């Protein structure tokens, strides 16, 4: 148990480690600077094409092209911050005055808050899904529950139904809130159904239904997550409240959230990466360093965005004695597909492991079942996100990446290869070789992230310009050297 970290952290000269860190941070900063220059040079044309907004920072425009950030920012201004504040107030008051009624009060508040934002018709859709899910779960047949919930999720893609639901709202953003809510609640319904099928009933059906209402309409997690399982939710909410003050935790986490929000806003003021990636012409004319900066900026903004989107609900959930999933880990230290899935959205990862990977056999029943379980997990994630063409490519790339990494781990763990490496290579040289091999995985991970964030056209341009034509018109080695630095930083952080 202790030998692996020692081998991975074989001592290297401090000058070599310092070089890795300087090269990594230096390449990040310089590529961001080049992207900033390109953004300012083409600001007038980008403003005409993508309607850049007046910036919060003097002398800068604001790029509103990231739909998800613009949607949640507008919702926060309009109502979401107020409703989340109300949840926190009710949670603290009930914890002090009447702890036994806390769950009931939070459930009622969540239902009323959802009705205020989604309207009676929108909440009725969720209530219908909830009722169907609960009725089927009573039969205690996991396959039937899965079929039912997949059919309910598929209603999100029925065009006539979409048109009817859009007619309920005056803006498209309100419809998308309903869409997100139904999708996230779909994961909760599956969690409840399977837990109910697997576990003997500890209480009556009426009590189970009340807990399902509470789980579904828990306000901090209602619209966008993060995801926790039904089992964890019920266990943690039944714990007695503790008396220690949460003021210090609240102030510290609020400070972090403000810092993360400012960072995200600063990025879309100084680098118009979302507008640039939407136009293939700009991708073709971007200078090489600015092209690298665009890739880094897109994934870094995605990371910071979800620190905010998951951070605020997680803070409130912690006050309710829940244990939310850990916040996403920085993508700049991610060097493997496996690590990305484990540490970016930990809640979704645990959900997939518990309800898809393990029930299908996982690694317990041999390599074939492991491949099948992993493939179906990625297939479900693709379907849940919408099933578009670019998502299918993204899911396939991640599946292939995870299988390749697992295959290489098995190969190097075999007695012959392991003994040969131990005999021929020093610990320090072995560490360098692992970094070099991991650089290829990191390169493919970056490419898959670009498929997810920008679409097929963005990944195609990057593949052509970086992996085929070469970085800055030379060979591939500088790019691989930078990716070596990523592994060196990431391995020290994760092991």
């Amino acid at each position: 148990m202790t030998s692996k970290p020692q081998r991975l952290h074989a001592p290297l000269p401090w000058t070599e480690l310092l070089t890795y860190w300087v090269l990594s941070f230096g390449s990040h900063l310089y590529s961001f600077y080049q992207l900033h220059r390109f953004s300012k040079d083409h600001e007038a044309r980008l403003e005409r094409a993508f309607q850049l907004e007046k910036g919060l920072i003097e002398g800068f425009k604001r790029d509103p092209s990231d739909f998800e950030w613009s949607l949640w920012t507008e919702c926060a201004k309009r109502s979401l911050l107020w409703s989340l504040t109300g949840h926190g107030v009710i949670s603290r008051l009930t914890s002090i005055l009447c702890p036994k009624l806390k769950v009931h009060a939070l459930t009622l508040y969540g239902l009323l808050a959802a009705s205020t934002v989604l309207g009676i018709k929108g909440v009725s859709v969720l209530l219908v899904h909830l009722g169907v899910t609960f009725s089927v779960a009573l039969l205690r047949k996991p396959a039937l529950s899965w079929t039912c919930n997949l059919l309910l999720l598929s209603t999100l893609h029925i065009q006539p139904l979409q048109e009817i639901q859009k007619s309920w709202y005056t803006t498209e953003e309100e419809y998308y809130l309903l869409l997100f809510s139904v999708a996230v609640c779909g994961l909760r319904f599956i969690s409840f159904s399977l837990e109910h099928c697997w576990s003997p009933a500890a209480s009556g059906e009426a009590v189970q239904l009340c807990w399902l209402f509470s789980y579904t309409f828990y306000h901090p997690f209602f619209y966008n997550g993060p995801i926790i399982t039904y089992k964890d939710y019920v266990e943690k909410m039944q714990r007695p409240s503790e008396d220690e003050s949460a003021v210090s935790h609240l102030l510290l986490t609020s400070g972090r959230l403000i810092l993360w929000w400012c960072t995200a806003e600063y990025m879309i003021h100084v680098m118009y990466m979302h507008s640039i990636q939407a136009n293939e012409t700009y991708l073709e004319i971007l200078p090489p360093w600015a092209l690298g900066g665009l890739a880094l900026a897109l994934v870094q903004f995605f990371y910071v965005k979800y620190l905010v989107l998951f951070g605020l609900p997680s803070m409130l959930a912690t006050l309710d004695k829940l244990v939310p999933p850990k916040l996403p880990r920085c993508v700049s230290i991610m060097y493997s597909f496996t690590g990305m899935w484990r540490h970016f959205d930990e809640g979704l990862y645990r959900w997939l492991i518990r309800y898809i990977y393990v029930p299908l056999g996982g690694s317990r029943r041999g390599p074939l079942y492991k491949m099948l379980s992993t493939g179906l997990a990625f297939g479900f994630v693709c379907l849940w996100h919408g099933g578009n063409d670019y998502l299918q490519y993204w899911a396939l790339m991640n599946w292939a990446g995870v299988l390749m990494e697992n295959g290489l781990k098995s190969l190097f763990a075999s007695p012959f290869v392991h003994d040969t490496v131990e005999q021929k290579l020093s610990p320090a040289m072995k560490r360098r070789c692992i970094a070099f091999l991991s650089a290829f995985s990191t390169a493919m991970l970056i490419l898959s992230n670009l498929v997810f964030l920008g679409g097929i056209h963005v990944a195609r341009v990057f593949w052509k310009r970086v992996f085929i034509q070469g970085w800055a018109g030379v060979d591939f080695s500088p790019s691989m050297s930078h990716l070596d630095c990523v592994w060196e930083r990431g391995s020290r952080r994760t092991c």
Side-chain angles (χ1 to χ4, degrees):
M1 293 296 290
T2 59
S3 58
K4 184 176 180 180
Q6 291 174 353
R7 290 199 302 267
L8 197 59
H9 284 297
L12 294 177
W14 70 267
T15 52
E16 182 178 349
L17 292 175
L18 180 62
T19 301
Y20 290 140
W21 281 91
V22 170
L23 285 175
S24 182
F25 279 111
S27 61
H28 274 69
L29 294 176
Y30 185 69
S31 59
F32 285 156
Y33 170 69
Q34 289 295 324
L35 179 61
H36 165 68
R37 285 188 56 185
F38 185 88
S39 299
K40 296 299 288 185
D41 291 343
H42 295 80
E43 185 176 82
R45 280 186 286 180
L46 288 168
E47 185 176 8
R48 289 194 299 269
F50 298 100
Q51 300 178 340
L52 299 180
E53 298 176 349
K54 182 180 179 180
L56 303 174
I57 305 173
E58 186 69 27
F60 291 92
K61 300 292 183 180
R62 181 179 183 274
D63 184 2
S65 302
D66 185 81
F67 172 78
E68 194 174 26
W69 182 252
S70 297
L71 171 68
W72 293 116
T73 301
E74 188 60 33
C75 289
K77 293 177 183 177
R78 199 166 55 234
S79 63
L80 197 53
L81 277 178
W82 297 106
S83 63
L84 289 172
T85 302
H87 172 94
V89 171
I90 290 177
S91 174
R92 296 308 297 168
L93 288 177
T94 52
S95 296
I96 297 171
L97 301 177
C98 192
K100 292 183 178 180
L101 294 179
K102 178 179 178 178
V103 174
H104 300 83
L106 293 180
T107 303
L108 180 60
Y109 179 82
L111 182 59
L112 293 175
S115 301
T116 302
V117 175
L118 301 179
I120 299 300
K121 293 180 180 178
V123 171
S124 297
V125 172
L126 289 167
L127 291 177
V128 169
H129 285 207
L130 186 151
V132 173
T133 296
F134 183 76
S135 300
V136 175
L138 293 178
L139 301 176
R140 296 185 179 275
K141 296 184 181 298
L144 187 59
S145 290
W146 261 112
T147 302
C148 171
N149 281 283
L150 289 177
L151 289 174
L152 291 175
L153 283 174
S154 69
T155 60
L156 294 172
H157 311 296
I158 299 176
Q159 189 66 31
L161 189 57
Q162 289 178 348
E163 296 300 325
I164 293 173
Q165 292 173 349
K166 286 180 180 179
S167 68
W168 298 343
Y169 304 105
T170 56
T171 64
E172 193 175 48
E173 287 76 12
E174 292 173 308
Y175 165 70
Y176 277 106
L177 281 178
L178 173 63
L179 199 67
F180 290 162
S181 303
V182 173
V184 175
C185 287
L187 298 184
R188 298 191 189 103
F189 294 150
I190 294 173
S191 178
F192 168 81
S193 298
L194 296 180
E195 296 291 351
H196 192 76
C197 291
W198 295 339
S199 304
S203 53
E205 294 176 2
V207 175
Q208 293 291 315
L209 182 60
C210 289
W211 275 114
L212 177 58
F213 264 93
S214 176
Y215 178 54
T216 301
F217 290 101
Y218 182 70
H219 188 56
F221 294 165
F222 179 72
Y223 296 104
N224 196 44
I227 302 300
I228 62 173
T229 65
Y230 174 78
K231 181 174 181 289
D232 287 341
Y233 177 82
V234 174
E235 288 178 353
K236 300 303 186 294
M237 289 296 279
Q238 287 179 327
R239 293 188 305 178
S241 298
E242 300 173 7
D243 296 330
E244 76 273 7
S245 173
V247 175
S248 58
H249 169 78
L250 185 65
L251 291 176
L252 178 62
T253 307
S254 298
R256 289 175 178 172
L257 285 170
I258 293 172
L259 178 61
W260 295 331
W261 180 85
C262 291
T263 302
E265 284 293 325
Y266 181 75
M267 290 181 72
I268 59 177
H269 277 75
V270 300
M271 297 178 290
Y272 308 140
M273 59 273 195
H274 298 106
S275 293
I276 292 171
Q277 61 95 18
N279 190 312
E280 195 163 341
T281 301
Y282 288 118
L283 295 175
E284 294 286 357
I285 65 174
L286 270 172
W289 277 100
L291 183 69
L294 178 67
L296 290 171
L298 286 172
V299 294
Q300 286 290 354
F301 180 82
F302 186 70
Y303 159 67
V304 176
K305 174 174 67 177
Y306 269 89
L307 285 179
V308 177
L309 296 182
F310 283 173
L312 180 56
S314 296
M315 177 184 70
L316 294 173
T318 302
L319 297 178
D320 292 328
K321 308 308 175 187
L322 292 175
V323 182
K326 294 178 182 178
L327 294 179
R329 182 173 290 177
C330 180
V331 291
S332 287
I333 59 173
M334 296 289 189
Y335 56 88
S336 69
F337 286 91
T338 306
M340 187 73 179
W341 278 94
R342 283 180 178 172
H343 302 300
F344 190 84
D345 189 345
E346 188 180 85
L348 180 59
Y349 172 77
R350 289 179 179 177
W351 191 97
L352 292 170
I353 292 295
R354 181 165 180 81
Y355 301 120
I356 297 180
Y357 184 78
V358 171
L360 289 175
S363 58
R364 298 170 301 166
R365 302 178 64 180
L368 186 60
Y369 277 93
K370 186 174 183 178
M371 291 176 59
L372 176 63
S373 304
T374 306
L376 288 177
F378 284 123
F380 175 81
V381 174
C382 173
L383 175 66
W384 183 66
H385 278 92
N388 306 82
D389 290 346
Y390 75 95
L391 291 171
Q392 296 173 23
Y393 283 105
W394 169 73
L396 284 171
M397 291 176 70
N398 279 268
W399 184 38
V402 169
L403 292 180
M404 182 64 67
E405 290 172 0
N406 289 334
L408 287 174
K409 286 179 182 178
S410 299
L411 175 64
F412 284 102
S414 63
F416 174 75
V417 176
H418 179 267
D419 293 343
T420 302
V421 170
E422 291 291 330
Q423 293 172 6
K424 302 295 183 181
L425 298 178
S426 66
M429 184 55 66
K430 183 166 58 176
R431 176 173 175 175
R432 296 185 186 103
C433 291
I434 293 174
F436 179 76
L437 292 175
S438 297
F440 292 94
S441 178
T442 307
M444 293 300 103
L445 176 63
I446 293 172
L447 191 65
S448 74
N449 288 335
L450 292 175
V451 172
F452 181 77
L453 297 175
I456 297 173
H457 74 283
V458 175
R460 182 173 62 246
V461 172
F462 271 86
W463 175 263
K464 180 180 70 175
R465 294 194 57 190
V466 176
F467 297 99
I468 296 180
Q469 295 177 356
W471 183 267
V474 290
D475 57 43
F476 194 51
S477 57
S479 301
M480 298 304 293
S481 299
H482 167 69
L483 297 174
D484 285 351
C485 300
V486 171
W487 185 88
E488 289 291 347
R489 291 167 54 204
S491 64
R492 294 186 66 84
R493 169 66 178 82
T494 57
C495 297

